[in-house]
């Protein structure tokens, strides 16, 4: 049991792994806190390091950049290879396995060992791998690395252990699958072609054995040469030389004909009786032109020639369209008799396979489906119906239907939420699918015992929201919501929105969901927020719109008189809602200020909304003087309070969504009041201040046109920097996490000493382009830093010059919404030189540009700024008083918000509703509120928000708040129990709000009133005791990196702090002692997609977007790692191989039956010899020990490996014992028969035989 003692002088006791807190940690201005009453808090911490282990669980979504496809017709398994070396193996729903080659080389080809539980992969690094699929986590058994030749094609005959491998040089090698050793039998290209041929035939593009005779191998070369090689006689039976290059070959099942597809869009049919010319040449999509010539067509990349027992044969191919038809989508053509069906695809075709009833290539194939692998989709076409419908895909392959921009993960949801979401979402499903069962039905999967309701929410670039059922490590879409339906469609000539109609103005930036009250909130990239309520009934509703003017620039606040004339906010100093009037859809800004209207127009008319989530309120930030609003960086909603809070780098706003009023709208600086912990810059009054109209006339027209150009810039041109010096100055970023030099020091020569003033004319300030300025945990993402070349003149410093130079146009609200797949982030700079270098290196790796950081070691009194120092001013987060008061800007962003019952001030005796506000400067503010408790009063009486209460300090941007009671239990936020507002009201039982509160003092009889507050920033975590605000524990999470994501989660019925750092470390800390429990270097941060989408949840689970199309789920719970084998599906199930059909005596007599030959005798070492050692290198795999790569090292791992090895040894001994017993029985039987024969023949004479 750990004892947490509060020392009278306010000093922090030191925890294991923590650091001793400073006396100022509980004080706003650095003075010691008031001495709390001495007492002890006894908390039993139950979490230990052995409770945590990190491993991957399952991957959902479509394989990113697929390259290869294979199907096992007996096991009914499908394998997909990708460019990054990944393999997805799919069976029935629930059977979904992901494997990864260690080399990361692209998968060129896949070959199943049919019904053997194994898979051969050929990779771009010229290595063959044999995967064992007879275990839940497949592993590599053998690898064979080719050293001198490049692999181009592989073929494995059914029920054969010899793999044919074609190479780029035109040679064909043979590999033993069991031992993965190269045979000495080689078919050299110069022996396969005629000696008189002067040119090289090119790489091998096709290998297949003849259905009529397995001893005949058909070899197709890229140049158009086809050779049938007699493996026994080691010579060519025939050679075909065709003018057009070959892409694929397909046999007729009788082995008398084969079909080829060519680069000119033609199909040739060859008969083995006469190979001098093709039996038939067709151009399926090539029409005859007026001059009698054929249209030129695109190549036919693949063809499949399949016979059917009851109908005409199927000829299925991809490509072959004429070049004249520009803009045609990729097609798959099905020729069945005289009917030609062309299926247009949404994406280019990577590969396709025809699924047949039999695995034997010498039987009637009877195809029943076609699996088409597209670049971004997987389609299965039903061939048994004349209209060729597609099967409904049971896998979540449409995660990326629109690029994913944000994710949220909720574990242990209310059990009734999943069925009701599914029932409503099922009404909007597409129709027209095939009625037959999904043909890929291999493997087995059972619902595990360790399952609970889980929901994943994904936000997308088109403004859509998808709810997914993630229970039991599966993923199934429940419900889809389109946020764009709350707005009018932009029309041509309709102002700013029309000019940007081709972009993604509805892209989802963040979501907030209360599963208990079913209230859902969405933040869009156009600085808008939509509030949704859930209803099981449709309704007629009118959306209420609020417009918020959340724009403040500290350098423009010159004096109180000027501030009164030109306020930064709509009621910037008001704490009372009495001055705020409800703003509905019809309440617009006066005609004289048209630029202040938001870009998106909310629907003003009554609309009919279907059951599900129905929009109730839309909040939009206004444009100010032609400037787009800054993006929203934080959001929190509380259904019990009926309040919604959000903030950006300008300030904070609180909205009462029950009364539809704005309660608070003020800058971050104003939130402090008298408790501001920092020394802020004092500004001199500016002379010749221009009026707003003059400013708009002279500068903002250029500013708007320039920002419009920036908005139209695509994400691919992030690093294309303009040479226009004026646009550079006006595009200065006002990032909430990049603290700049005060612009007045740079731009106003009146307040600069002479050396600095003269320096200003020759050296520019740093420039940060905000083409993709997303916020990740409060950081403005993707600014690219570039210094201006020395000697370029700056803007003329006219009367309006300083103002224009100081004001950056902010973040464009409409831009091509970049998916979380390619998000980038500006990495905060460390305070040490090592940190500077490491962060610069990380940023250079992410952006490909140079990043400069502010050097904090110079003295501010000397003014001897070097050129480097004049431009290195970005991304430092420290606010040391010696530097911040002179060369730092006072603007800070709101990075996180949290409603909850707490103590707003040290003198509070009882907990009250509070809003915890975290900023980018490491400050945590407490804002107490007074909310009427009676339902009727709540709808009529205003909510009072008091001035700022306590101020707490941390290092780095604040990321997360959490609350514990004095017993160490997690305190949940209060919520309102869901009620359907559209349901018919029962007069006997009127609907009333039912609130559930979790008061900090409800379970604290032992320690009295009070609770613990956990505050985590990007560098450290602290635990404060409320209401005294004394810091009990502090732990520096990282010194060389920074935390990207932090969450207070529940694991094993206890609370812990989970963190994901930019250096790839995943850590957990105990609460409240902040004792390190786990620190795993899991995932190096190679791109910011991971940082953007990484999120923790209860139960020891987390997820992130591993690629633009895939969601990777992981667990950091030891219990779940141990039970993972039960939860995963079995890939291999014992199935008897179907017997070959008996073809009858006559067919066999007349040569129709396939001939067999002994490959072992032909390719074995005894007859073929050994292959050259330098040709290929055998690499043994790790497939014998299942799952050892993710198992913990140490004694536990050694014991597990020893147990598995012992089990395998025992299994082998058991098999040996069975074989020995079988041999003894056979020997006894033989002895008995021999004795009987001897007795029978003993008395016979020689002539009697």
């Amino acid at each position: 049991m750990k004892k947490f003692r509060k020392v009278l002088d306010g000093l922090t006791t030191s925890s294991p792994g923590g650091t001793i807190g400073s006396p100022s940690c509980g004080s706003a201005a650095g003075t010691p806190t008031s001495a709390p009453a001495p007492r002890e808090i006894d908390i039993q911490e139950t979490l230990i390091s052995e409770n945590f282990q990190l491993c991957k669980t399952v991957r959902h979504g479509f394989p990113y950049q697929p390259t290869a496809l294979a199907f096992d017709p007996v096991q009914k398994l499908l394998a997909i290879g990708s460019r990054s070396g990944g393999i997805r193996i799919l069976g029935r729903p629930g059977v979904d396995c992901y494997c990864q080659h260690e080399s990361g080389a692209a998968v060129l080809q896949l070959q199943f060992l049919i019904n053997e539980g194994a898979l051969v992969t050929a990779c771009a690094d010229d290595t063959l791998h044999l995967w064992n699929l007879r275990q839940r986590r497949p592993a590599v058994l053998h690898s064979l690395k080719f050293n001198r030749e490049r692999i181009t094609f592989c073929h494995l005959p059914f029920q054969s252990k010899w793999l044919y491998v074609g190479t780029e040089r035109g040679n064909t090698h043979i590999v033993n699958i069991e031992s993965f050793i190269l045979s000495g039998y080689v078919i050299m290209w110069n022996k396969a072609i005629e000696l008189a041929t002067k040119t090289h035939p090119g790489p091998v593009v096709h290998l297949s054995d003849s259905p009529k005779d397995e001893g005949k191998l058909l070899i197709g070369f890229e140049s158009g040469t086809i050779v049938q090689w007699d493996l026994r006689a080691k010579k060519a039976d025939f050679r075909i030389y065709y003018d057009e290059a070959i892409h694929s070959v397909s046999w007729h099942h009788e082995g008398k004909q084969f079909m080829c597809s060519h680069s000119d869009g033609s199909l040739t049919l060859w008969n083995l009786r006469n190979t001098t010319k093709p039996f038939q040449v067709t151009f399926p999509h090539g029409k005859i032109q007026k001059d009698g010539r054929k249209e030129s067509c695109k190549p036919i990349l693949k063809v499949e020639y399949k016979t059917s027992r009851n109908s005409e044969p199927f000829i299925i191919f991809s490509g072959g369209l004429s070049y004249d038809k520009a803009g045609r989508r990729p097609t798959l053509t099905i020729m069945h008799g005289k009917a030609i069906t062309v299926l247009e695809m949404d994406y280019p075709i990577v590969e396709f396979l025809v699924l047949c009833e039999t695995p034997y290539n010498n039987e009637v194939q009877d195809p029943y489906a076609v699996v088409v692998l597209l670049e971004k989709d997987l389609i299965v076409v039903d061939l048994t119906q004349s209209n060729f419908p597609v099967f409904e895909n049971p896998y979540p392959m449409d995660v990326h239907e629109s690029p994913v921009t944000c994710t949220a993960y909720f574990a242990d949801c209310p059990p009734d939420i999943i069925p009701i979401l599914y029932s409503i979402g099922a009404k909007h499903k597409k129709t027209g699918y095939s009625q037959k069962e999904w043909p890929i039905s291999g493997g087995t999967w059972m619902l595990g015992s360790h399952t609970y309701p889980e929901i994943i929410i994904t936000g997308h670039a088109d403004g859509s929201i998808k709810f997914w059922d993630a229970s039991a490590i599966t993923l199934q879409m429940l419900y889809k919501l389109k946020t764009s339906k709350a707005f009018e469609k932009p029309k041509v000539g309709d102002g700013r929105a029309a000019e940007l109609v081709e972009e993604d103005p509805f892209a989802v930036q963040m979501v907030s969901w209360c599963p208990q009250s079913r209230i859902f909130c969405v933040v869009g990239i156009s600085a808008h927020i939509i509030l949704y309520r859930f209803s099981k009934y449709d309704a007629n509703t009118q959306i209420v719109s609020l417009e918020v003017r959340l724009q403040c620039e500290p350098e423009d606040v010159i004096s109180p008189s000027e501030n009164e004339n030109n306020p930064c906010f709509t009621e910037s100093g008001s704490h009372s809602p009495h001055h705020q009037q409800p703003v509905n859809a019809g309440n617009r800004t006066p005609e004289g200020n048209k630029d202040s209207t938001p870009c998106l127009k909310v629907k003003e008319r009554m609309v009919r909304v279907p059951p599900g989530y129905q929009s109730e309120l839309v909040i939009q930030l206004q444009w100010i003087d032609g400037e787009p609003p800054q993006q929203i960086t934080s959001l929190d909603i509380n259904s019990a309070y009926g309040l919604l809070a959000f903030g950006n780098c300008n300030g904070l706003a609180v909205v009462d969504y029950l009364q539809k009023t704005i309660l608070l709208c003020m800058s971050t600086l104003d939130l402090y009041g008298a408790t501001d912990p920092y020394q802020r810059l004092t500004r001199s009054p500016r002379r010749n201040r221009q009026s707003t109209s003059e400013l708009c006339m002279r500068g903002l027209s250029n500013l708007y046109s320039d920002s419009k150009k920036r908005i139209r810039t695509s994400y691919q041109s992030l690093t294309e920097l303009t040479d226009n010096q004026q646009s550079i100055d006006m595009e200065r970023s006002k990032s909430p996490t990049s603290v700049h030099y005060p612009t007045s020091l740079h731009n106003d020569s009146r307040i600069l000493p002479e050396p600095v003033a003269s320096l200003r004319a020759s050296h520019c300030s740093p420039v940060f382009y905000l083409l993709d300025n997303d916020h990740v945990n409060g950081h403005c993402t993707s600014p690219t830093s570039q210094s201006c070349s020395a000697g370029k003149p700056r803007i003329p410093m006219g009367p309006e010059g300083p103002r224009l130079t100081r004001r950056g146009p902010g973040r464009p609200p409409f831009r091509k919404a970049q998916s979380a797949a390619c998000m980038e982030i500006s990495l905060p700079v460390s305070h040490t030189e090592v940190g500077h270098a490491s962060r610069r290196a990380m940023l250079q790796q992410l952006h490909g540009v140079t990043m400069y950081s502010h050097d904090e070691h110079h003295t501010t009194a000397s003014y001897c700024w070097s050129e480097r120092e004049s431009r290195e001013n970005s991304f430092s987060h420290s606010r040391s008083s010696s530097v911040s008061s002179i060369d730092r800007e006072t603007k800070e962003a709101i990075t996180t918000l949290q409603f909850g019952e707490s103590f707003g001030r040290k003198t509070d005796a009882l907990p009250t509703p509070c809003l915890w506000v975290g900023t980018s400067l490491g400050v945590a503010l407490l804002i107490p509120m007074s909310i009427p408790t009676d339902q009727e009063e709540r709808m009529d009486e205003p909510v009072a928000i008091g001035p700022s209460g306590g101020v707490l300090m941390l290092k780095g941007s604040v990321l997360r708040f959490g609350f514990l009671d004095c017993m160490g239990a997690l305190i949940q936020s209060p919520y309102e129990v869901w009620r359907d507002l559209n349901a018919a009201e029962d007069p006997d039982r009127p609907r009333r709000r039912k609130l559930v509160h979790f008061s900090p003092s409800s379970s604290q009889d032992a320690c009295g009133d009070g609770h613990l507050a956990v505050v985590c920033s990007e560098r450290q975590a602290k635990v404060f005791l409320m209401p005294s605000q004394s810091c009990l524990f502090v732990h520096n999470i990282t010194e060389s990196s920074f935390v990207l994501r932090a969450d207070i989660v529940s694991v094993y019925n206890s609370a812990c702090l989970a963190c994901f750092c930019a250096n790839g470390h995943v850590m957990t800390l105990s609460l409240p002692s902040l004792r390190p429990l786990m620190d795993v270097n899991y995932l190096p941060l190679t791109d910011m997609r991971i940082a953007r989408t990484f999120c923790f949840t209860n139960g020891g689970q987390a997820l992130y977007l591993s690629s633009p199309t895939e969601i990777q789920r992981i667990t950091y719970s030891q219990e779940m790692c141990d039970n993972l084998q039960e939860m995963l599906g079995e890939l291999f199930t014992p199935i008897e191989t179907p017997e070959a059909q008996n073809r009858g005596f006559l067919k066999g007599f007349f040569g129709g039956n396939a001939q067999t030959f002994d490959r072992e005798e032909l390719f074995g070492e005894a007859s073929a010899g050994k292959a050259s050692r330098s040709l290929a290198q055998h690499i043994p795999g790790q497939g014998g020990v299942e799952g050892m790569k993710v198992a913990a090292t140490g004694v536990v791992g050694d014991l597990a490996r020893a147990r598995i090895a012992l089990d395998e040894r025992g299994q082998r001994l058991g098999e040996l014992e069975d074989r020995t017993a079988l041999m003894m029985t056979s020997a006894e039987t033989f002895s008995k028969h021999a004795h009987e024969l001897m007795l029978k023949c003993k008395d016979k004479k020689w002539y009697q035989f």
Side-chain angles (χ1 to χ4, degrees), residues 429-454:
K429 283 193 173 182
K430 298 178 181 178
T431 57
Y433 293 110
S434 173
Q435 299 301 315
K436 295 195 173 183
E437 291 185 0
W438 180 252
I440 305 168
S441 56
T444 57
W445 180 74
M446 300 294 291
L447 191 64
S449 57
H450 301 273
T451 59
Y452 43 83
E454 299 175 68

Side-chain angles (χ1 to χ4, degrees), residues 413-422 453 455 478 513 515 518 534 613:
C413 299
D416 59 336
I417 190 70
I418 291 179
I420 195 168
L421 283 174
Y422 181 80
I455 287 181
L478 297 172
W513 186 47
R518 302 183 188 176
F534 186 82
Y613 275 102

Side-chain angles (χ1 to χ4, degrees), residues 26-48:
S27 174
T31 57
T33 61
S34 59
R39 62 169 177 260
E40 294 184 1
I41 304 175
D42 297 338
I43 297 179
Q44 180 71 38
E45 288 193 0
T46 58
L47 293 178
I48 56 177

Side-chain angles (χ1 to χ4, degrees), residues 630 633 649 733-738 770 772-783 824-827 875 893:
Q630 296 290 332
T633 58
C649 64
S733 148
K734 289 190 177 294
S735 165
T737 55
S738 58
L770 286 178
D772 183 29
N773 179 19
D774 289 308
H775 291 80
V776 180
N777 293 332
H779 305 298
C780 283
T781 65
S782 306
E824 294 181 317
I825 185 173
S826 62
L827 307 179
F875 303 116

Side-chain angles (χ1 to χ4, degrees), residues 641-698:
Y641 302 158
L643 300 180
L644 182 151
F646 63 94
N648 62 8
C649 64
N650 287 326
L652 170 70
V654 181
V655 174
D656 184 343
Y657 68 80
L658 295 179
Q659 299 184 21
K660 309 297 187 296
T661 57
I662 303 172
L663 301 178
L664 180 71
C665 182
M666 60 195 312
S667 69
T668 317
L669 179 60
D670 293 333
L671 289 176
Y672 290 102
T675 61
D676 189 356
Y678 298 123
Q679 179 184 354
R680 307 287 176 167
L681 277 174
T682 57
R683 311 276 181 176
S684 302
R686 205 167 25 228
R687 292 193 297 265
N688 299 329
R689 181 182 178 91
Q690 299 297 312
S691 66
T692 306
S693 59
E694 272 190 315
L695 180 66
C696 293
M697 291 284 291
R698 298 190 181 187

